[in-house]
Amino acid sequence: MAQSRELRVSRTTAVPADARVRHFDELDDDSQQYLAAVESGETPAAMPTGLASGDVVVYTDYFRIH
Amino acid sequence: MTQSYVIIGDGIAGSSAAETLREEAPDADITVITDEGEALYNRILIKEFAKGKLPEAPISIHDESWYDERDVDLRLNTHVTNIDTDGHVVRTHEDEDLEYDKLLVATGGTPTQLPVENSDAEGVHHFWTFQDARKIKADAETADAGIIVGAGLLGIDLAAICGAQDVEAHYLMRGDCWWRYALSEAGAEIMHDAMRERGVTPVFDSGVDRFEVGDDGQIRGAVDPNGDYYEGDFAGVAIGLDFNTELLQGTGVEQDGGVVVDEYMQTSVDDVYAAGDLTRFYDTVLGEHAQNGSWGSAKEQGAIAARNMIDAESEPFRWVSSYSITHFDFPFLSFGHPTIGDDHAERKYSDTEWRRLAFKDGKIVGGVLIGDLSPQSGYKRLMRDERVVADQKDVLMQKQFDADELAPAQEQ
Ligand SMILES: Cc1cc2nc3c(=O)[nH]c(=O)nc-3n(C[C@H](O)[C@H](O)[C@H](O)COP(=O)(O)OP(=O)(O)OC[C@H]3O[C@@H](n4cnc5c(N)ncnc54)[C@H](O)[C@@H]3O)c2cc1C
């Protein structure tokens, strides 16, 4: 869906046991804005440093950073 | 001399204070006391566990080794019964006395029990702890019909749990719409439709007069104030929080519907600080005392309290909070204080897009966004900057809000 810092965001249903799972409300403003843009179908430029590979974020769906 | 810090409560406020204290006072003695049987966990994800969507493991945030590694003395299953603020001592339920130089009270709240007949019956749930979530999950998995009470941000979590667990539910609300203090009917209708799609039927101008119970003590249904009966072998109640302040009795710590603190999280009593849900804090953005129950705000208050416990009045709390609902396929976010204000603007953009801003003295003090969160950071910035903008509602309510289209800020 969105790509930068060689990381991608995609919707997921499976949560790996070692994933760091966070709720949308735990994210900083930049990460929230980024994910909201991805969710609405945009491809924002840079992935904020607040999101890291392996993270799963609970938002309108489960979103996985990888 | 080594300072000793005692923190009561290992929720996000207490835990964030412990983390900040250790980072900024490497030699201090730090004790964290909690009456729960587990260290900090992610309270805002326990609903996902109860829905059956997340396993237990990722919900834990700190295991006990986290405290060991930081040389923090964690006391689980320990309830603080009272505080001697003159002697600087806290007493536990086992009559153990712990001395402190600075104390942080971060004890949060306990869900308010519905004051009606049989509200303590089997199958009637209140929702705050991981233990509550485990019971809710177990019961919801076998229930057929549910009853939800409390038309606010926690009630909707219980409704979503019913939806996810295939429990057909009636959501009994007092007014004519969900979260009527922050939403108009137009905005709330989007939420009602989303509930209906998940098998949860909103019932307005209702509530619970009493629960009906079977011989086995299990809830069977509820009667509302209109005399209508709703079947249910599961009920979820979320009508508010009673703050855990019994331990402050006799301390002289000022309370006013919450523990009153200044912008440094300092209470009215020397060396006693408070942080998190239970505070009535001086909000430097609003310019008056306010309350907030959200994860981000509690975390920030804990960190700010810690800095001021180390170095008094060194850093004020200044924060625009937000709280979102993630159960539906459209986003929902409220920020600031959407239920207060003397003026507002709202607009509906589509069947799943709606926005409302609350103003006080011409400044944004809060808002709710449904369906499109893109204006969020712009609105929050205007709120933080305390810009007078209520006279430019047309610009604010444009679908593609652009802060650059606002008239330049005047000297205010
Ligand atoms: C189901 C649910 C969903 C939520 N969803 C969201 C959300 O989506 N977004 C959001 O921003 N917020 C959400 N919240 C609110 C958020 O979780 C709280 O605002 C936040 O956790 C408050 O943290 P706290 O540290 O102030 O209090 P708490 O987390 O309540 O911690 C207080 C701790 O102190 C302990 N304690 C109390 N009295 C004593 C005593 N005398 N001695 C020892 N220990 C004591 C308690 O047992 C508890 O562990 C949700 C809350 C719940 C329950």
Side-chain angles (χ1 to χ4, degrees):
Chain A
M1 290 171 74
Q3 200 157 5
S4 70
R5 284 207 288 129
E6 287 143 44
L7 293 177
R8 291 192 315 124
V9 183
S10 58
R11 291 173 201 256
T12 183
T13 45
V15 178
D18 59 346
R20 174 171 72 155
V21 183
R22 286 182 296 165
H23 186 276
F24 187 74
D25 288 347
E26 294 176 72
L27 304 183
D28 57 45
D29 276 357
D30 285 348
S31 304
Q32 285 196 352
Q33 203 69 24
Y34 179 86
L35 210 65
V38 171
E39 193 271 345
S40 65
E42 294 168 34
T43 311
M47 183 174 298
T49 50
L51 296 170
S53 180
D55 284 359
V56 171
V57 181
V58 177
Y59 184 39
T60 50
D61 233 321
Y62 283 22
F63 288 86
R64 180 152 176 231
I65 320 293
H66 52 110
Chain B
M1 204 187 78
T2 309
Q3 287 279 304
S4 72
Y5 298 99
V6 171
I7 297 168
I8 313 174
D10 189 35
I12 187 61
S15 210
S16 136
E19 184 165 9
T20 308
L21 281 172
R22 179 48 79 225
E23 279 166 12
E24 302 190 12
D27 300 325
D29 288 334
I30 304 170
T31 304
V32 176
I33 307 171
T34 173
D35 57 11
E36 291 196 64
E38 47 209 326
L40 177 71
Y41 56 84
N42 198 324
R43 202 176 294 291
I44 68 178
L45 283 181
I46 55 178
K47 51 193 154 194
E48 295 301 303
F49 171 79
K51 280 158 84 176
K53 292 184 72 179
L54 261 191
E56 287 215 9
I59 290 169
S60 163
I61 297 181
H62 293 159
D63 57 20
E64 289 175 43
S65 65
W66 186 92
Y67 302 82
D68 291 343
E69 284 159 17
R70 286 162 184 78
D71 194 18
V72 171
D73 181 10
L74 173 69
R75 308 286 185 94
L76 296 174
N77 296 309
T78 305
H79 185 75
V80 172
T81 50
N82 71 293
I83 304 167
D84 170 2
T85 50
D86 292 333
H88 283 61
V89 173
V90 303
R91 174 159 290 191
T92 73
H93 71 288
E94 289 177 322
D95 285 342
E96 186 186 359
D97 287 342
L98 294 159
E99 291 184 11
Y100 66 85
D101 292 311
K102 307 272 178 187
L103 175 69
L104 180 69
V105 181
T107 48
T110 303
T112 308
Q113 187 111 0
L114 198 62
V116 303
E117 206 180 318
N118 295 325
S119 68
D120 56 354
E122 281 295 312
V124 179
H125 295 275
H126 296 80
F127 197 12
W128 196 257
T129 66
F130 207 163
Q131 276 301 75
D132 295 337
R134 293 180 181 109
K135 289 191 207 133
I136 288 172
K137 178 171 188 269
D139 273 10
E141 278 169 353
T142 56
D144 297 318
I147 295 158
I148 313 296
V149 194
L153 294 166
L154 285 187
I156 204 164
D157 287 345
L158 289 159
I161 291 166
C162 284
Q165 296 282 10
D166 288 329
V167 181
E168 289 224 6
H170 285 98
Y171 194 163
L172 310 183
M173 308 185 192
R174 258 157 97 185
D176 55 2
C177 67
W178 178 77
W179 206 21
R180 62 191 156 133
Y181 303 109
L183 270 63
S184 66
E185 269 184 79
E189 197 49 30
I190 297 175
M191 308 305 284
H192 301 156
D193 283 343
M195 293 172 204
R196 289 183 191 107
E197 266 176 38
R198 278 156 187 76
V200 176
T201 308
V203 182
F204 307 112
D205 300 315
S206 177
V208 169
D209 214 31
R210 63 179 189 280
F211 289 109
E212 305 251 302
V213 175
D215 292 341
D216 54 357
Q218 175 76 30
I219 176 193
R220 291 281 181 275
V223 179
D224 83 353
N226 309 311
D228 294 326
Y229 178 76
Y230 297 93
E231 217 175 278
D233 47 357
F234 173 96
V237 177
I239 57 164
L241 261 195
D242 296 327
F243 298 126
N244 296 321
T245 53
E246 302 86 345
L247 74 178
L248 293 175
Q249 264 173 22
T251 60
V253 168
E254 186 189 347
Q255 295 181 50
D256 176 15
V259 176
V260 178
V261 292
D262 61 16
E263 63 267 49
Y264 305 107
M265 302 291 124
Q266 160 90 53
T267 70
S268 59
V269 169
D270 281 352
D271 300 326
V272 181
Y273 291 74
D277 278 9
L278 86 174
T279 62
R280 183 169 185 79
F281 59 94
Y282 184 76
D283 186 328
T284 56
V285 178
L286 274 186
E288 59 188 71
H289 276 84
Q291 287 179 284
N292 187 266
S294 68
W295 184 265
S297 172
K299 184 175 183 187
E300 180 72 3
Q301 287 195 8
I304 294 289
R307 292 197 186 105
N308 292 305
M309 288 161 80
I310 295 168
D311 183 6
E313 303 195 357
S314 56
E315 191 171 333
F317 176 71
R318 193 172 169 80
W319 184 258
V320 175
S321 67
S322 56
Y323 192 119
S324 53
I325 290 172
T326 56
H327 301 302
F328 307 118
D329 52 13
F330 55 83
F332 173 108
L333 181 132
S334 72
F335 69 93
H337 305 277
T339 60
I340 67 168
D342 51 28
D343 188 11
H344 76 274
E346 72 169 72
R347 191 168 293 176
K348 187 166 181 176
Y349 303 88
S350 75
D351 286 349
T352 54
E353 270 183 57
W354 179 88
R355 237 181 261 172
R356 183 179 191 273
L357 291 174
F359 305 97
K360 186 155 184 281
D361 302 327
K363 301 168 190 168
I364 296 176
V365 290
V368 177
L369 309 177
I370 302 179
D372 174 16
L373 304 193
S374 59
Q376 178 205 170
S377 53
Y379 291 158
K380 280 178 152 181
R381 196 172 312 116
L382 292 172
M383 180 170 162
R384 260 191 299 267
D385 293 348
E386 300 178 49
R387 286 262 304 267
V388 171
V389 288
D391 54 345
Q392 300 180 68
K393 295 190 180 94
D394 278 350
V395 180
L396 291 167
M397 286 292 120
Q398 272 168 19
K399 188 165 163 45
Q400 305 295 337
F401 165 63
D402 181 355
D404 291 339
E405 288 178 24
L406 289 167
Q410 306 294 311
E411 275 300 312
Q412 284 162 8

